[in-house]
Amino acid sequence: MTAVTRRDRVAGTAAEAARGVPGVAFLRPGVTDLLRARFAERTPLRAPLNGNRAPGVRVGRDEEDGWHIDIRFVLCRGHRALDTTRAVQAAVVAALPGEPVASVRITVTGVV
C-alpha cells in the first residue's frame, strides 16, 4: 500500500472537479501516464511508482507561487471549448480552497 501524498490529493481533487464540468467527456491521459500504467501492470512486485495517479492531470509545485496544474480533456460535441475550459479552470480553483494555485493550464485534445 502506498501513502497518498499532498500532490496526489491535489491531482485527484482537480480531476474530480474537471470531470464534473458539463462539456467534459473524459480526461485524456498523456503518454507518460500510459507508459506508467503499462509498466506498473508488468512489474507488480516492484516498488510503486511515485507520480500522478490521476491520468489527464499533471501537478507541479513551485514553492514561491503554488501549484501548477495541467488538465487534458476531450470535449463533448455541442459545447464551446472556451466556455468549458473557463468552467474547468474555475471548478478546479474552487475545489482547492486551502491550496495556493498558481496556474491551471487546460488543453482540449479532441471532440466526441
Side-chain angles (χ1 to χ4, degrees):
M1 182 185 238
T2 61
V4 176
T5 65
R6 187 173 176 194
R7 176 176 295 191
D8 294 333
R9 285 191 297 273
V10 168
T13 301
E16 287 297 315
R19 283 188 204 106
V21 173
V24 175
F26 57 90
L27 299 181
R28 174 94 182 214
V31 173
T32 304
D33 295 326
L34 295 173
L35 291 173
R36 181 177 289 124
R38 185 69 176 154
F39 182 75
E41 287 173 4
R42 291 180 173 251
T43 56
L45 299 178
R46 290 189 178 205
L49 295 172
N50 292 333
N52 193 0
R53 291 183 181 87
V57 178
R58 297 198 66 188
V59 176
R61 176 81 180 183
D62 182 1
E63 293 300 325
E64 295 176 6
D65 296 333
W67 296 105
H68 296 278
I69 303 169
D70 294 331
I71 298 177
R72 299 167 49 93
F73 71 89
V74 174
L75 184 69
C76 291
R77 191 171 309 280
H79 288 84
R80 288 185 58 207
L82 178 62
D83 296 337
T84 305
T85 56
R86 285 180 178 168
V88 168
Q89 185 175 24
V92 168
V93 171
L96 297 166
E99 298 290 345
V101 177
S103 67
V104 179
R105 185 172 64 179
I106 310 291
T107 305
V108 177
T109 61
V111 178
V112 292

